[in-house]
Amino acid sequence: MSKAKNDIFKKISACPTMIADNINSDKSELRQWPVQLKLINTSASFLENADLLIAADCTAYAYANFHRDFIKQHVTAIGCPKLDDSQFYKEKIVEILKNNNINSIKVVKMSVPCCTGISIIVKEAMEESGKDVSYSEATIDIDGKIL
């Protein structure tokens, strides 16, 4: 075994409870599958009376506590407003709103220009659906902080 690997092994062996605590302290808050907006069935039972989180793909990678601070107690849908078909997403969200009683929608996006589209898509879908749903949004900066 190389000296570097041996040193790492010694550090890990010296702190087994700390490692176990770190493993057990982080848990997924995801409530349903799939999460990709493109794949979600607009009549899925998990959507009824849901607090819906619609997040740009990059947000969960940029913000370290995404599960705890955003996914927890939400039905999650993710997509990329730049790379994916925004018209399809708008139509999908309209269908979700028409087929279900949605309690609220929270949009989480990045602070980069291409992410503005996710807010526009959701707001247009809400208007087109004719549903009055509580709406909020959060913006994550590229340094991982909430703006």
Side-chain angles (χ1 to χ4, degrees), residues 1-18:
M1 183 179 320
S2 74
K3 182 175 177 355
K5 285 183 181 177
N6 194 28
D7 289 345
I8 291 169
F9 182 74
K10 284 180 186 176
K11 287 178 185 177
I12 291 171
S13 298
C15 304
T17 56
M18 185 178 82

Side-chain angles (χ1 to χ4, degrees), residues 95-132:
E95 270 190 67
I96 288 170
L97 290 167
K98 285 183 174 181
N99 291 343
N100 303 278
N101 178 39
I102 300 295
N103 295 327
S104 67
I105 297 176
K106 181 171 199 90
V107 169
V108 181
K109 61 185 178 122
M110 295 296 298
S111 63
V112 296
C114 59
C115 249
T116 305
I118 197 94
S119 300
I120 294 167
I121 292 165
V122 172
K123 289 175 183 176
E124 287 179 358
M126 290 171 62
E127 187 175 324
E128 194 173 310
S129 75
K131 296 279 184 120
D132 185 25

Side-chain angles (χ1 to χ4, degrees), residues 17-86:
T17 56
M18 185 178 82
I19 292 167
D21 288 345
N22 285 338
I23 290 169
N24 293 330
S25 68
D26 297 327
K27 66 175 187 159
S28 175
E29 296 292 345
L30 193 60
R31 301 172 76 169
Q32 97 290 338
W33 193 259
V35 295
Q36 179 53 250
L37 183 55
K38 195 173 206 171
L39 301 176
I40 292 175
N41 178 336
T42 59
S43 297
S45 60
F46 58 75
L47 290 167
E48 189 59 32
N49 298 311
D51 291 301
L52 188 58
L53 171 68
I54 300 178
D57 289 343
C58 298
T59 56
Y61 296 98
Y63 186 70
N65 291 314
F66 196 80
H67 276 252
R68 184 192 69 205
D69 295 348
F70 294 111
I71 292 179
K72 188 174 185 174
Q73 298 179 340
H74 287 85
V75 168
T76 303
I78 63 167
C80 179
K82 182 174 181 168
L83 300 177
D84 298 339
D85 183 347
S86 58

